[in-house]
Amino acid sequence: MTDPQIVLTERVQQALARAFGQEHADADPLIRPSQFADFQANVAMSLAKRLRRAPREVAEAIRTELSDFPGTIEVSGPGFLNITLDDTWIAAEAAQMLDDARLGVGTITPAQTVVIDYSAPNAAKEMHVGHLRTTIVGDALARLHEHLGNKVVRQNHLGDWGTPFGMLIEHLLDIGEEAAVAQLEAGMGTEYYQAARAKFDADESFKTRARVRVTTLQSGDPETLRLWHVFMDATVRYFNKIYEMLGVTLTDADIAGESMYNPMLQKVCDDLEEAGVAQISEGALCVFPPGFTGSDDKPLPLIIRKSDGGYGYATTDMAAVRYRVHDLKSDRMLYVVGADQALHFRMVFEAARMAGWLPDTVSAEHVKIGMMLGKDGRRFKTRSGESVKLMDLLQEAIDRATAAIADRGYDEQMQREIAHAVGMGAVKYADLSVSHDSEYVFDFDRMLGFTGNTAPYLQYAQARIRSIFRRGGVDPATATGPIVLGEPAERALALQLLGFGAVVEQTTALSEPHRLCAYIYAAATAFTDFFEQCPVLKEGVEPDVRASRLALCALTLRVLETGLDLLGVPVPERM
């Protein structure tokens, strides 16, 4: 089975070739869903000028070449082609989709190695809401690529190295390892950092010790490295609690923090300078990628080594590009990072191309993540102006979900499971359903609503389908039809479901999870209309009609569950 829009595109292009010559076979048929038919093709309007013929005449010629089409085609207005598919064709395709374990989703051949850099919290501070979007979007993209058969290499680029670790390790020694570990595992990383920073600013002896500790850390002193591991292990255990809570697929094996690249940085500088890609400018080693200028119209430098000999983000990111291309053999690299880093990554990618480290055969893409805003339209913060702890935000989502379902009569264990799924689903879906590069307002009331384009609405839709099968005493796996479309709502649902494979593939190719969200919402809405207009188990429904409608329910259930799972949104069996 194939998405109807893809089928139509191929058929119309073949008709163009037959009607006007092979040179027109690759013209975009401009097929869109239509309120006047299933689809409308507007290619005649754009092609008429090239052919020097009237648009309606062009449209008639195309229609003539589509005489064997499974449906009806009418020429409308100045030259629109209104296309209505035959009910039996839609039903046959839906039946074939129901019989397909992958629901019409193809696989990428040959499979690619896709490196996805996402989440990347700073180990020196608490994981806050600013890390939510990069974590959620990145994980959805990882799930999608794996579903299409690609080899996904997750890279959690932790901020786990650098000068702050001198004072963090010294503070650990001051309060004791046991107390430090307990504080870090409890999610008090920000408080820990602030206490260390306060001592660094106020106590000269502590500042001296911290600076010496940075030197011993960078030189590989065994005891300092042991203390660094104590700090990092406790911090990562806390990060893992959040990942587990969110249902994110990152593991310790995916950690590739700044510390990993530290041994590579000197060679990065040496190789760039030796190749003539980098040069000394005002004491710093810089690359000047072409086309980048500052406010003074002078070439903008990418600083690889600072004038004091220190390294920065650019050095680490250049090392990461080379490692991911050379060692990980990546075909495609996705950097799921804040939109405010756009200039930095454009310069890094261009510098890597200049160095020959990023060949044309490898795609490097910045998946820009927009800012999360509060209801006041400003950056999402606490009332005191501090960043909101991510754990606090997630727990509040679960608490609110618990209150929302408190009167539904579930036992305590079931209520906990549903509340967790609804709370986490709401937070994740609210993020994924908007374009990743746009800002969005974080609003619990809206995202936890059971109406509109929200996770609870979609979760409830699939739970309602499951209840149909429970009441009917039918296993969804045995609901195989045959499918017969008699009512408009049945037809609309089946036609919507046929688009699943194409939208999953498009979402993955474009790194735009909101496209899959929009599709799933449309499918759930079509099912709601079907449910209201087409009785399934009601007495008096003919057996063949009942079998057909149960098959449509089963297909819808699989599409909703698969789609939500690809987004990382949990689906409770009951709501």
Side-chain angles (χ1 to χ4, degrees):
M1 85 301 307
T2 312
D3 177 84
Q5 206 158 330
I6 294 176
V7 171
L8 293 176
T9 297
E10 293 174 351
R11 290 290 191 98
V12 174
Q13 285 180 326
Q14 292 167 4
L16 289 172
R18 290 193 297 269
F20 309 115
Q22 196 62 40
E23 65 271 22
H24 298 291
D26 60 351
D28 185 350
L30 301 173
I31 293 171
R32 305 288 184 269
S34 171
Q35 60 180 330
F36 305 109
D38 292 332
F39 298 95
Q40 187 176 82
N42 299 337
V43 64
M45 309 294 287
S46 62
L47 195 59
K49 185 177 289 186
R50 286 167 56 189
L51 295 172
R52 296 182 180 179
R53 294 169 66 175
R56 192 172 177 91
E57 181 186 339
V58 173
E60 287 287 0
I62 298 170
R63 187 180 69 82
T64 300
E65 293 296 338
L66 289 169
S67 57
D68 62 341
F69 181 78
T72 60
I73 301 176
E74 296 178 352
V75 176
S76 171
F80 302 120
L81 286 165
N82 288 339
I83 304 169
T84 302
L85 294 161
D86 189 84
D87 288 4
T88 56
W89 184 88
I90 296 173
E93 292 293 303
Q96 191 177 342
M97 182 177 175
L98 183 62
D99 193 44
D100 179 15
R102 292 187 56 81
L103 295 170
V105 180
T107 55
I108 293 175
T109 306
Q112 294 183 320
T113 296
V114 182
V115 174
I116 307 181
D117 181 329
Y118 69 104
S119 192
N122 189 339
K125 295 183 181 179
E126 164 68 22
M127 199 170 177
H128 58 78
V129 295
H131 300 111
L132 180 63
R133 297 198 76 188
T134 59
T135 302
I136 290 172
V137 173
D139 206 58
L141 294 178
R143 290 167 178 266
L144 284 159
H145 276 282
E146 285 182 332
H147 191 65
L148 293 187
N150 284 333
K151 175 187 176 184
V152 173
V153 182
R154 294 164 174 80
Q155 296 279 273
N156 193 354
H157 194 97
L158 296 183
D160 63 355
W161 200 253
T163 53
F165 283 88
M167 68 180 190
L168 295 172
I169 291 172
E170 285 301 316
H171 183 57
L172 181 147
L173 289 170
D174 285 356
I175 66 175
E177 292 182 29
E178 186 176 339
V181 167
Q183 194 173 3
L184 294 167
E185 286 185 341
M188 300 178 69
T190 297
E191 293 85 347
Y192 183 102
Y193 177 86
Q194 289 171 343
R197 185 76 215 186
K199 282 196 288 187
F200 185 87
D201 292 338
D203 186 338
E204 284 299 321
S205 64
F206 182 85
K207 183 182 291 187
T208 300
R209 283 162 47 203
R211 286 174 171 166
V212 170
R213 185 64 68 179
V214 171
T215 303
T216 59
L217 176 65
Q218 292 176 339
S219 65
D221 172 62
E223 176 59 12
T224 301
L225 285 174
R226 186 190 72 79
L227 294 168
W228 175 81
H229 277 294
V230 169
F231 178 93
M232 282 305 307
D233 290 349
T235 300
V236 168
R237 282 194 291 274
Y238 177 68
F239 289 165
N240 286 340
K241 291 178 185 177
I242 292 179
Y243 293 146
E244 182 179 0
M245 198 171 184
L246 276 170
V248 166
T249 56
L250 284 168
T251 68
D252 288 357
D254 304 318
I255 293 174
E258 292 171 356
S259 60
M260 181 184 124
Y261 298 105
N262 190 59
M264 310 176 193
L265 303 187
Q266 183 59 53
K267 184 167 174 55
V268 164
C269 295
D270 292 345
D271 290 352
L272 290 173
E273 192 168 14
E274 185 179 330
V277 174
Q279 56 187 287
I280 301 297
S281 175
E282 299 181 19
L285 183 65
C286 305
V287 177
F288 291 91
F292 295 92
T293 55
S295 57
D296 56 2
D297 291 330
K298 292 183 179 178
L300 199 61
L302 183 70
I303 300 175
I304 304 299
R305 185 179 61 226
K306 302 173 187 176
S307 56
D308 64 3
Y311 305 120
Y313 292 128
T315 331
T316 305
D317 285 331
M318 287 292 286
V321 169
R322 181 153 69 167
Y323 169 77
R324 291 166 181 178
V325 173
H326 184 269
D327 295 79
L328 298 181
K329 311 296 184 188
S330 61
D331 298 298
R332 186 177 181 187
M333 298 186 294
L334 304 178
Y335 287 71
V336 187
V337 185
D340 57 351
Q341 297 295 309
L343 176 62
H344 169 77
F345 280 109
R346 288 205 312 272
M347 294 183 72
V348 166
F349 296 156
E350 186 56 38
R353 290 187 187 95
M354 292 169 65
W357 299 352
L358 182 57
D360 293 340
T361 54
V362 178
S363 171
E365 305 158 43
H366 178 195
V367 181
K368 304 179 186 70
I369 302 298
M371 193 183 303
M372 183 192 295
L373 306 176
K375 288 185 180 180
D376 59 1
R378 299 178 180 177
R379 185 188 288 268
F380 193 79
K381 290 183 178 294
T382 63
R383 290 180 181 176
S384 61
E386 298 178 351
S387 293
V388 179
K389 289 187 176 183
L390 185 49
M391 181 65 84
D392 292 347
L393 185 84
L394 299 180
Q395 187 58 54
E396 183 175 354
I398 293 174
D399 293 344
R400 285 174 176 255
T402 301
I405 64 168
D407 60 352
R408 302 201 174 187
Y410 296 118
D411 63 53
E412 190 175 335
Q413 176 64 25
M414 178 68 75
Q415 182 170 284
R416 275 201 304 270
E417 291 175 5
I418 295 173
H420 185 276
V422 171
M424 293 304 93
V427 169
K428 296 177 80 171
Y429 186 83
D431 191 316
L432 293 166
S433 62
V434 297
S435 178
H436 60 70
D437 58 351
S438 65
E439 298 176 337
Y440 88 104
V441 174
F442 190 93
D443 181 354
F444 272 128
D445 292 335
R446 181 187 60 79
M447 65 178 60
L448 283 164
F450 281 79
T451 58
N453 190 12
T454 67
Y457 173 75
L458 301 176
Q459 291 168 322
Y460 182 71
Q462 66 83 32
R464 184 161 57 180
I465 298 172
R466 286 197 170 278
S467 73
I468 292 173
F469 284 103
R470 280 197 301 273
R471 283 188 286 114
V474 179
D475 181 348
T478 65
T480 57
I483 294 174
V484 180
L485 305 177
E487 297 293 330
E490 293 174 309
R491 185 184 188 282
L493 175 59
L495 186 59
Q496 174 65 30
L497 296 176
L498 292 181
F500 182 61
V503 81
V504 169
E505 292 166 27
Q506 183 186 52
T507 296
T508 310
L510 298 176
S511 300
E512 294 180 346
H514 72 276
R515 292 179 180 272
L516 179 55
C517 293
Y519 169 84
I520 296 171
Y521 175 59
T525 302
F527 176 79
T528 299
D529 293 341
F530 161 82
F531 181 80
E532 292 173 352
Q533 299 174 34
C534 303
V536 179
L537 302 177
K538 189 175 180 181
E539 189 176 344
V541 175
E542 294 293 329
D544 57 338
V545 174
R546 180 176 184 269
S548 174
R549 290 176 180 174
L550 282 171
L552 280 175
C553 287
L555 182 55
T556 306
L557 179 64
R558 286 177 56 202
V559 166
L560 292 180
E561 287 188 332
T562 304
L564 289 171
D565 183 62
L566 290 175
L567 295 169
V569 175
V571 281
E573 288 198 15
R574 300 172 186 264
M575 286 284 282

